[in-house]
Amino acid sequence: MATSTTTSNKASDGSRPSFFGVRALALTAAMLVGYWLLISVEIDRVNPYQPFYENRISFYYSKIDTFSRITSLSQRMTLRHSYDYTVPKLVSERLRQGDVLLLPPAAYAEQVTRGNKVVWTDPRIFTYMVGRMPMVAWDDTARRSVANTAILLELNTFEIIRRGDAPQRYDSVVAAYAAATSGGPR
Amino acid sequence: MAALYPFVLTLVLQWLAGFGVMATLRSTLPRSIVAPIALLLGAFLETLVVVAVDRLGIGLSFTSVSLGMTLVVLATHARWSVVKSWYGTLVSSPSVSIRMYDVVAFIIAAYLVFVGMWAAYYWPVTPFDAMAGIDLMARQSVIDGTLNNSVLTDPALAGRLSNQPFYAPFAMLQQVIYRLMGWPFGQLWLPVMSFAFFWVMWALFRRYAHPFIADVLLLLLVMVPELHGYTYLLQTDFLNAVYVSIGVIILGLDIERRDNKNLVIAALFMAAGCWSRTETIAVIGLGMIASFPLLRNAVGMRKALSSIGVVIAASVTAFAIWHVWYFYGVFPVRPESGTEIVGFSIAKFTDVVSATFGDVIADMGLWGWTMPLFVLVLALSVLRNKSVGDRWLLVWTITILLALEIVGTLFASAVVGQTIRRGVFKLIPLMYLFMARSPVVSSLSAALQAWELGRGRNTASNQRKG
């Protein structure tokens, strides 16, 4: 950084602009007006700061009081991740000793979210949300036979289907998983 | 709030470790940036402590990591006579002149940073990459007490980990440190780092430009939409930008004085950059080569070569600890990174460059007015002052951009709209500092100071030079 000159912000004779001087006041007013214009004047493709402020800063700030009343970690996870948190949580609570869960393909889960993207079917996300547990990813064809528990998803609810308890229903759920994927059963 | 005391203790230890390193190395950095630089340095050192504790087979816990950090603090203060005299210089009476608009700018910036701080504290980890990668690793490392955790051997995840859990570990280790403190989502290190980073940038702007212009630049920097988002969203890129850009700036400050007294500190920051994103080693390598003529002109051939050697050695060490030692000596599995690399093709390079400029650089929704202002200031400097301005910052800005394009061409998984977009973070601080140091802003600063003092411009200018 050797090429440009250094500008000191104070005069070498010790004289400094007054804190409350008229010119200091004018510059302060200019800063406030400039800032206000940036965050409030909406000019598409010219002022990117207004939408930034509106969508992030102002939005969050206006919600801080409301959100601050919601202190439980679980509620905060639900607010943020919706079914990507609630489904793994509820499913994991209902699993029993010996259950090995077959995670459905995302395409199957997206049938009940009206096409909204689902990530909880990814074993990494399932593990992230509720911790490690016996499960098999849908595309893990080598280990699919190890699974003995599937999730039957319906709008706003789900059912745990165990192969040992209801083999035909289990097979039909797995068939529904296969049908939901574009490639069919693998 | 039980995590508050560990948080305060950790910050104190990080700060002391950073100060200790700077004192031992007899840092000559401007006093105005020493405190935030020390904090950032301490945060990096603590991640190395986590690795040391892990490799010594001591279970990861808040106590073990804090004790390790305490040893680092003691070790960095071992040469007490040197350290004491450095502290003495540091705390001698400061000469800060605060103006009314500084207070206003500070309040606005603090408000903007606070909102990000609150979001980082309140919201759970959100980005998919983080949940499937660095925070998945961090969470399990805290549960298992080791970085070589059971996520890596879980049959349910075998072959499905992808490369996210294996990202360069700085952000993951920060998550480990903050989760060990008891913060349920970690993440609070992000606002701590953004606070320190904006502090450094503000102090540097004030060093080169009139305080009013420095304040405006600070506010524009804080309000860069995309950058602000990542002061509370858990990813590796903001962290990477902070360390790489500050490393470049520290080297530049040395060159300004035609010495390399802060070389090791700069090298540590560059190493921290490689510790936060894998491809940074290529960015730093290219940057050091491209800036070599400027280094040589400033400090001579011998010191220039030693500078490159020290920076590259530190960066390679940081890279190797994770990508060689951990991948091949510790972890039972590793990503297939080799398959990610595809041959260089001019056609793809052209596509990547075109997409970068068309979809990323030109998008004001991402960078605010940064890009047009940068071009305007550069053009005005050339036309009006017959000077490009700060060549050091310009060379690094261009080289980092070029390196990102090469990475985007060579790596199959590098997506312009994601990888390069977030890689551009590294350019932003350099661009704003470039503007602060430009001849145009220098002239503007002189005019503004003359006006503010109610004197003729030449008088004020002469006074500053005096």
Side-chain angles (χ1 to χ4, degrees):
Chain A
M1 295 198 274
T3 53
S4 70
T5 55
T6 300
T7 304
S8 165
N9 59 25
K10 55 186 178 292
S12 59
D13 64 355
S15 66
R16 288 172 178 174
S18 158
F19 186 89
F20 292 109
V22 175
R23 294 179 191 214
L25 199 62
L27 286 173
T28 307
M31 180 167 289
L32 281 168
V33 170
Y35 174 68
W36 180 79
L37 289 173
L38 278 185
I39 64 167
S40 53
V41 176
E42 195 179 341
I43 310 173
D44 197 27
R45 302 173 72 87
V46 173
N47 182 12
Y49 299 102
Q50 189 275 334
F52 155 74
Y53 186 84
E54 187 70 30
N55 298 334
R56 300 208 187 150
I57 307 297
S58 177
F59 172 77
Y60 272 139
Y61 193 71
S62 67
K63 304 275 186 202
I64 282 179
D65 270 354
T66 314
F67 285 138
S68 294
R69 281 192 280 274
I70 302 167
T71 52
S72 124
L73 298 182
S74 183
Q75 283 177 307
R76 280 148 73 182
M77 287 292 283
T78 306
L79 274 172
R80 199 56 159 178
H81 294 297
S82 182
Y83 43 75
D84 284 323
Y85 170 68
T86 53
V87 175
K89 182 169 180 285
L90 293 170
V91 166
S92 67
E93 284 169 0
R94 293 184 198 181
L95 288 180
R96 299 197 298 233
Q97 187 83 23
D99 285 348
V100 179
L101 181 68
L102 177 63
L103 290 172
Y108 173 78
E110 283 163 7
Q111 288 174 350
V112 295
T113 59
R114 296 190 177 89
N116 287 329
K117 191 174 165 56
V118 163
V119 295
W120 66 264
T121 54
D122 184 316
R124 294 169 298 174
I125 301 299
F126 203 96
T127 305
Y128 181 77
M129 293 299 178
V130 293
R132 292 177 55 226
M133 56 181 51
M135 62 181 156
V136 178
W138 170 251
D139 60 0
D140 188 354
T141 50
R143 292 182 64 247
R144 197 180 288 169
S145 59
V146 175
N148 58 21
T149 307
I151 311 164
L152 172 64
L153 290 171
E154 288 165 10
L155 201 61
N156 298 324
T157 187
F158 70 89
E159 194 181 342
I160 300 283
I161 310 290
R162 293 184 176 82
R163 189 168 55 193
D165 296 347
Q168 285 182 330
R169 289 193 72 204
Y170 181 85
D171 288 344
S172 71
V173 173
V174 174
Y177 288 3
T181 55
S182 54
R186 282 186 278 175
Chain B
M1 276 297 155
L4 196 59
Y5 296 118
F7 177 61
V8 172
L9 175 65
T10 299
L11 286 188
V12 170
L13 288 173
Q14 289 182 353
W15 230 318
L16 287 175
F19 278 133
V21 169
M22 294 178 81
T24 305
L25 294 170
R26 295 190 172 96
S27 157
T28 56
L29 288 174
R31 254 192 327 169
S32 56
I33 63 169
V34 164
I37 293 279
L39 184 59
L40 292 168
L41 202 50
F44 170 51
L45 293 174
E46 184 152 9
T47 62
L48 298 179
V49 168
V50 174
V51 168
V53 168
D54 184 50
R55 285 302 81 222
L56 287 170
I58 304 166
L60 294 175
S61 67
F62 177 72
T63 308
S64 62
V65 173
S66 299
L67 282 174
M69 198 58 185
T70 306
L71 289 178
V72 171
V73 170
L74 292 174
T76 56
H77 286 73
R79 294 174 67 195
W80 180 242
S81 57
V82 173
V83 173
K84 189 180 165 192
S85 72
W86 186 85
Y87 273 126
T89 316
L90 184 68
V91 296
S92 62
S93 64
S95 56
V96 183
S97 166
I98 298 293
R99 325 276 170 94
M100 193 190 290
Y101 43 80
D102 288 332
V103 176
V104 169
F106 181 78
I107 291 169
I108 295 171
Y111 164 65
L112 296 170
V113 172
F114 164 75
V115 172
M117 200 175 280
W118 178 84
Y121 158 74
Y122 187 80
W123 290 118
V125 171
T126 305
F128 177 86
D129 275 1
M131 291 191 294
I134 49 181
D135 203 33
L136 179 66
M137 283 287 280
R139 233 182 70 143
Q140 202 61 42
S141 297
V142 169
I143 293 168
D144 296 352
T146 173
L147 299 178
N148 187 12
N149 63 64
S150 50
V151 156
L152 301 168
T153 50
D154 189 333
L157 300 171
R160 269 148 201 86
L161 285 172
S162 185
N163 64 341
Q164 284 104 333
F166 302 102
Y167 279 178
F170 198 166
M172 185 270 283
L173 294 170
Q174 286 293 330
Q175 282 295 97
V176 168
I177 292 166
Y178 276 72
R179 281 182 173 277
L180 286 174
M181 285 181 211
W183 296 108
F185 307 127
Q187 288 192 140
L188 268 180
W189 55 272
L190 274 163
V192 171
M193 288 202 177
S194 45
F195 174 73
F197 166 67
F198 289 128
W199 182 352
V200 171
M201 295 311 294
W202 188 44
L204 289 169
F205 294 156
R206 285 176 70 89
R207 184 174 162 82
Y208 299 114
H210 184 276
F212 180 81
I213 297 173
D215 292 344
V216 170
L217 289 172
L218 173 76
L219 290 180
L220 288 176
L221 178 62
V222 174
M223 289 203 296
V224 170
E226 191 67 357
L227 199 66
H228 186 275
Y230 284 89
T231 60
Y232 56 87
L233 284 176
L234 179 62
Q235 276 287 13
T236 54
D237 309 83
F238 175 72
L239 178 69
N240 178 254
V242 167
Y243 281 86
V244 172
S245 59
I246 290 179
V248 170
I249 289 166
I250 291 173
L251 271 183
L253 287 167
D254 268 6
I255 284 181
E256 187 182 310
R257 286 188 308 244
R258 297 187 170 272
D259 64 33
N260 62 355
K261 288 182 178 161
N262 299 294
L263 171 64
V264 176
I265 297 170
L268 285 171
F269 270 83
M270 301 285 206
C274 295
W275 196 231
S276 55
R277 274 200 71 86
T278 304
E279 83 284 356
T280 304
I281 188 120
V283 173
I284 288 172
L286 271 177
M288 291 307 293
I289 292 167
S291 61
F292 180 74
L294 297 174
L295 261 175
R296 191 193 53 206
N297 289 347
V299 297
M301 180 62 94
R302 215 169 124 253
K303 279 187 176 177
L305 285 173
S306 72
S307 296
I308 288 191
V310 170
V311 168
I312 297 292
S315 298
V316 167
T317 304
F319 179 87
I321 288 174
W322 189 247
H323 294 87
V324 179
W325 189 16
Y326 264 86
F327 283 12
Y328 292 91
V330 179
F331 288 159
V333 287
R334 56 181 173 272
E336 296 298 324
S337 306
T339 58
E340 286 285 311
I341 300 172
V342 294
F344 186 86
S345 117
I346 292 289
K348 191 180 177 198
F349 181 73
T350 312
D351 288 347
V352 169
V353 171
S354 159
T356 302
F357 280 89
D359 304 338
V360 176
I361 300 284
D363 188 346
M364 280 211 292
L366 297 175
W367 318 114
W369 290 344
T370 308
M371 304 300 169
L373 275 177
F374 177 78
V375 172
L376 182 70
V377 166
L378 179 61
L380 284 175
S381 297
V382 171
L383 293 173
R384 194 171 167 274
N385 300 75
K386 311 281 184 242
S387 162
V388 292
D390 190 323
R391 284 182 294 158
W392 176 260
L393 293 172
L394 190 61
V395 163
W396 271 94
T397 303
I398 294 167
T399 309
I400 290 173
L401 186 59
L402 179 68
L404 291 174
E405 302 304 300
I406 293 170
V407 166
T409 308
L410 287 178
F411 283 82
S413 60
V415 180
V416 172
Q418 298 291 330
T419 319
I420 295 185
R421 173 172 60 86
R422 295 198 298 261
V424 170
F425 290 173
K426 287 186 275 290
L427 306 180
I428 305 298
L430 302 182
M431 286 176 152
Y432 275 97
L433 191 59
F434 176 85
M435 288 188 250
R437 288 182 53 81
S438 68
V440 168
V441 168
S442 188
S443 305
L444 201 59
S445 292
L448 202 52
Q449 182 154 353
W451 178 80
E452 199 179 14
L453 287 168
R455 296 174 190 176
R457 183 177 161 177
N458 289 338
T459 315
S461 187
N462 289 338
Q463 276 184 339
R464 275 196 317 280
K465 283 173 188 163

